[in-house]
Amino acid sequence: MSKQGLKYWGCAVLAAVLLVSVARAATPIKLGLNYPHTGEYREEGLMQKRGALMAVEEINAAGGLFDRPLELVDRDSASQPDRARRNVDELAAEGVAMLFGGASSGVAIAASDQARRHNLLYFGTLTYSNDTTGKDGHLNMFRECYSAWMAARVLGDYLKREYADKSYFYVTADYTWGHTTEASMREFTDTTDTDRHRSVRVPFPGARYHQIEEAVKAAADSDAEVLVLVLFGEQMVQGMTIAQQMKLPERMQIVVPNLTLSMVEQTGPFIMAGVIGAAPWTWNVPYEFDYARGQRFVEGFSERYRTRPSTSAASAYSIVYQWKEAVERANSFNSASVRRALEGHRYSLLKDEQYWRGFDHQNVQSVYAVRIKSRDQVMKDTYRQNFFEIINTLSGDAAAPTHDQWIAERRRHDRPLELQ
């Protein structure tokens, strides 16, 4: 080949390399959101998608990740584990770099197990069952929100002081979150005597109205002084509405262990006033404890969507940022490398310091017991969503199960004593 031919050939090769580099730089990094767009938890799903989109757009506006934009790709789980598994397969086939989502623990556990088969990390946004990072935990699963155990610890700390020796009645959704929440609540309120502190189960998903009504009526017919509605989403909305119709708030303290903004809004502040529950985050936390970054998130979300952000929105938003920063620390998209960059990492984003615990991948963070404010207080907010009065706070280390307790739980279920 002549010198001139070699020159042209070299230029062509260089141009091809540059084109490939430019194409790669412009190729989006896909994030897979597996969330309930339909079904009983669709309102929580909507909040997750909004929080995730906000994080993605902020990161892209700041230059993306390794000079590449993020792209959110989503699928509707409808809160059905089998459908969530299929979604994971489809999202993996599309080339997502990670997966997150879920507003049902059964869905999150199933989806994370399927993600492990594709060697992808899965982040739970709203999955409160102890099993998620307990007996069903594995190397590819990270939970950003708190657990039923942590919620029960902060609630039990308050209820044992204020309602000592009272009789309880539990109305519980019949799946993993409901079971572990009731068990944890019983342990931390000293109500393990099932003869005195009775319970009934409500089918999940798909409970009919009359089934929830029958369960609440059983509580009404008892002599209980505290009614614990271990229900979530639309089931909780129906349960509270029925309880109000039966005038139960006039003679019982009602406790809903896991409260979210969407659930309170759907039910209405008049019905929910005085209800006690728990949350890992509420939109007023950054203002009450002066967390500037959290305040900016609330204000930006509120202006963008004309509503206050819920726990689900904050969780999805935080996950996108946490994964992005772990990729940067690892300088790699490799799941094992990103996992190691997450384990033990401490950070502050929307509240005080949080960290990803290495032995179970639980996010350890402060947790809050809350009471729903009266309607007149609620209505003072610009968006009429000033729902939550913080009545008790526990640090993450005080609320989370210890390593020894985690080992004991894994041993009870004959699971490996290290994540695999």
Side-chain angles (χ1 to χ4, degrees), residues 205-224:
R208 297 183 181 279
Y209 184 88
H210 75 86
Q211 292 173 307
I212 299 174
E213 186 176 43
E214 289 170 4
V216 176
K217 187 176 186 305
D221 292 341
S222 74
D223 60 357

Side-chain angles (χ1 to χ4, degrees), residues 193-214:
D193 181 351
T194 56
D195 290 330
R196 182 185 177 198
H197 308 286
R198 294 169 49 208
S199 68
V200 293
R201 295 278 172 88
V202 172
F204 180 88
R208 297 183 181 279
Y209 184 88
H210 75 86
Q211 292 173 307
I212 299 174
E213 186 176 43
E214 289 170 4

Side-chain angles (χ1 to χ4, degrees), residues 1-284:
M1 184 180 294
S2 67
K3 288 184 178 180
Q4 190 169 3
L6 283 170
K7 181 180 178 181
Y8 285 134
W9 180 81
C11 289
V13 170
L14 179 60
V17 169
L18 289 172
L19 283 171
V20 170
S21 298
V22 169
R24 184 181 182 279
T27 302
I29 301 162
K30 295 181 179 181
L31 311 184
L33 177 62
N34 196 7
Y35 80 115
H37 177 65
T38 59
E40 295 181 65
Y41 293 168
R42 62 184 176 275
E43 293 299 325
E44 304 302 332
L46 175 60
M47 280 288 188
Q48 287 178 42
K49 185 168 182 178
R50 286 171 167 173
L53 280 170
M54 185 170 167
V56 164
E57 292 185 12
E58 286 180 358
I59 291 168
N60 287 344
L65 175 57
F66 300 146
D67 296 322
R68 295 168 61 189
L70 301 183
E71 178 185 342
L72 191 68
V73 184
D74 61 74
R75 290 291 187 280
D76 178 17
S77 70
S79 296
Q80 297 173 8
D82 289 343
R83 185 165 172 176
R85 285 183 179 274
R86 293 194 298 272
N87 289 348
V88 168
D89 291 339
E90 291 178 9
L91 290 164
E94 284 197 39
V96 300
M98 58 84 87
L99 292 152
F100 65 120
S104 155
S105 292
V107 163
I109 290 168
S112 73
D113 184 63
Q114 198 69 10
R116 175 169 52 172
R117 299 168 190 265
H118 295 281
N119 194 29
L120 290 169
L121 297 185
Y122 196 98
F123 294 80
T125 49
L126 203 166
T127 166
Y128 296 150
S129 170
N130 294 336
D131 295 345
T132 303
T133 50
K135 74 177 181 66
D136 293 317
H138 54 82
L139 279 175
N140 288 49
M141 177 62 171
F142 285 83
R143 170 163 46 193
E144 197 282 334
C145 61
Y146 66 1
S147 65
W149 176 289
M150 296 168 75
R153 281 297 295 268
V154 70
L155 281 172
D157 186 63
Y158 177 82
L159 293 171
K160 282 174 68 176
R161 291 196 306 268
E162 301 297 324
Y163 297 92
D165 300 321
K166 303 293 185 183
S167 59
Y168 283 55
F169 194 101
Y170 292 85
V171 174
T172 301
D174 193 8
Y175 75 113
T176 180
W177 166 73
H179 303 162
T180 61
T181 297
E182 181 181 329
S184 298
M185 285 292 297
R186 285 183 179 276
E187 179 171 353
F188 295 119
T189 56
D190 293 335
T191 56
T192 55
D193 181 351
T194 56
D195 290 330
R196 182 185 177 198
H197 308 286
R198 294 169 49 208
S199 68
V200 293
R201 295 278 172 88
V202 172
F204 180 88
R208 297 183 181 279
Y209 184 88
H210 75 86
Q211 292 173 307
I212 299 174
E213 186 176 43
E214 289 170 4
V216 176
K217 187 176 186 305
D221 292 341
S222 74
D223 60 357
E225 298 157 285
V226 178
L227 169 59
V228 185
L229 289 178
V230 190
L231 303 175
F232 204 77
E234 288 185 0
Q235 287 195 345
M236 193 288 298
V237 174
Q238 291 180 344
M240 272 303 306
T241 303
I242 294 165
Q244 178 68 32
Q245 291 168 352
M246 295 182 180
K247 300 184 178 180
L248 298 191
E250 296 178 12
R251 62 185 182 91
M252 295 178 174
Q253 173 59 58
I254 298 183
V255 177
V256 176
N258 297 116
L259 282 170
T260 71
L261 180 146
S262 299
M263 287 160 51
V264 177
E265 187 165 51
Q266 282 179 272
T267 312
F270 174 76
I271 293 175
M272 292 297 293
V275 171
I276 291 172
W281 187 87
T282 65
W283 72 262
N284 55 314

Side-chain angles (χ1 to χ4, degrees), residues 283-291 294-296 298-299 308:
W283 72 262
N284 55 314
V285 163
Y287 297 94
E288 295 207 20
F289 298 102
D290 196 25
Y291 303 134
Q295 292 175 18
R296 291 198 300 274
V298 172
E299 289 157 13
R308 299 300 190 188

